[in-house]
Amino acid sequence: MDLSIILMSVGIVLIIVSFFFKNSAKKVEQDVEELSISIFQETNNLKRRLKIVEEELLLEPEFQVKTPSAINNSVSNQKVQQVMQAVQQAAQVSKNGQVAAKTKPIHQIIVSQVLELNKQGMSVADISIRSNLTEEQVRQVIANGGR
């Protein structure tokens, strides 16, 4: 009988002690819940900010007007133009089986543009990027003087 009384008293003591420990567990649960809510709010804020930045980057070229001098000085614009020219040439090659610029005559406006850019002292590579002609075509236009 002594063993059952001891076990019963230990059980009662453990039940009473468990009431005190539940409060600390609730406190920990509340802290974790508050932390998870704050992390959720912060991630939502970051997502909103990221969405705003992405929209600004997508809309910026439509609203920003650049002067020709700013375009001349911009290295990134030149790289974009080079990539665009390469894509256009690749598309023309895949469409026609050869570069269309070599088969078509060069328009007089482009010829005058090439000559004017040459007078301004631009390199053949830069002129070819701006006029969407190959460097060989630019050299031919410059050599012929527009004829």
Side-chain angles (χ1 to χ4, degrees), residues 44-128:
N44 279 342
N45 271 341
L46 289 173
K47 285 180 183 179
R48 272 190 250 124
R49 288 180 184 173
L50 182 62
K51 186 176 180 179
I52 290 170
V53 168
E54 287 174 346
E55 289 174 356
E56 287 176 358
L57 288 175
L58 290 175
L59 297 177
E60 184 178 350
E62 295 176 9
F63 294 107
Q64 189 175 24
V65 178
K66 292 186 177 182
T67 61
S69 62
I71 293 173
N72 289 341
N73 295 334
S74 175
V75 174
S76 63
N77 280 342
Q78 290 176 354
K79 289 180 182 177
V80 169
Q81 288 175 351
Q82 288 174 345
V83 170
M84 287 177 58
Q85 181 184 12
V87 168
Q88 288 173 350
Q89 287 178 352
Q92 290 173 352
V93 167
S94 66
K95 261 187 179 179
N96 303 331
Q98 59 181 349
V99 177
K102 288 185 179 179
T103 60
K104 292 183 181 178
I106 301 171
H107 197 277
Q108 186 60 35
I109 294 174
I110 296 175
V111 170
S112 62
Q113 178 188 16
V114 167
L115 293 173
E116 187 62 33
L117 291 173
N118 186 42
K119 286 179 187 176
Q120 292 176 5
M122 294 187 72
S123 68
V124 173
D126 288 338
I127 294 172
S128 72

